[in-house]
Amino acid sequence: MRHRELLTAAAALRPPGESAQREFSAVRERVGDELALRLRGREDIARLIGGDNHRLMEHNIHNMLRFMERVFARPDAGLFVSTAAWSLQAQSAQGFRPEYWALHFGLLADILQETLSTRTLFETRPFLTFLSRNLRALGDPANTAGRHRAAG
């Protein structure tokens, strides 16, 4: 998928309603902690994150969930795509392997299904599905480099 297609797909995502945003915000920290716990418990995690990057992994998990909270409240397809791409590419440069991301988003989906109401899950899942399905394109600098400024 090329950059323009990523933007078009991201722009088509419908932001969650206020109630879903509040519920996501209320559980965000707990979800991040649980995701980090499950990932840390894996025997292969050091290989997936490039060695001893456990603190970086946990930091990035919480940053990603805070970022999603912001995207839900103030959707901006360009910012969403460019920041997700920048984050994936930066973490790849630190040793995070592509298999990590598939695992990360799979576990996150499980945790959110266990934690969120059905309605909130329905309203927030498309954004995370977008990221999960577009990992390869977002991680490819040829598709995203220099297109938009990432959020800092």
Side-chain angles (χ1 to χ4, degrees):
M1 183 176 278
R2 296 174 109 48
H3 185 73
R4 183 178 308 153
E5 294 166 318
L6 288 169
L7 287 175
T8 300
L13 296 170
R14 185 171 178 221
E18 288 181 33
S19 174
Q21 289 177 40
R22 281 192 304 274
E23 183 180 346
F24 182 87
S25 294
V27 301
R28 177 180 47 79
E29 280 297 315
R30 186 175 48 154
V31 167
D33 290 344
E34 181 63 24
L35 179 56
L37 180 69
R38 291 185 191 187
L39 286 166
R40 274 194 321 265
R42 293 187 53 97
E43 291 182 20
D44 61 347
I45 195 62
R47 181 184 64 79
L48 294 173
I49 63 174
D52 193 24
N53 280 328
H54 293 85
R55 291 184 99 185
L56 179 60
M57 176 189 74
E58 292 178 26
H59 179 74
N60 291 335
I61 286 169
H62 287 283
N63 279 346
M64 187 268 303
L65 292 169
R66 280 190 295 273
F67 174 66
M68 294 310 302
E69 184 178 43
R70 188 258 184 228
V71 167
F72 295 157
R74 293 179 297 284
D76 178 325
L79 187 64
F80 179 47
V81 168
S82 62
T83 303
W86 171 83
S87 179
L88 288 169
Q89 293 167 28
Q91 290 176 63
S92 177
Q94 293 290 322
F96 286 71
R97 300 173 57 96
E99 311 91 272
Y100 166 79
W101 293 107
L103 176 63
H104 170 104
F105 284 110
L107 289 173
L108 179 58
D110 292 346
I111 294 165
L112 290 174
Q113 187 162 352
E114 296 163 9
T115 306
L116 297 174
S117 68
T118 302
R119 181 175 180 91
T120 297
L121 183 64
F122 177 79
E123 291 183 29
T124 57
R125 186 177 9 211
F127 288 83
L128 298 167
T129 299
F130 171 87
L131 293 173
S132 181
R133 287 188 179 160
N134 293 297
L135 286 170
R136 176 176 277 163
L138 291 165
D140 182 357
N143 284 339
T144 56
R147 305 290 177 141
H148 291 280
R149 180 182 61 80

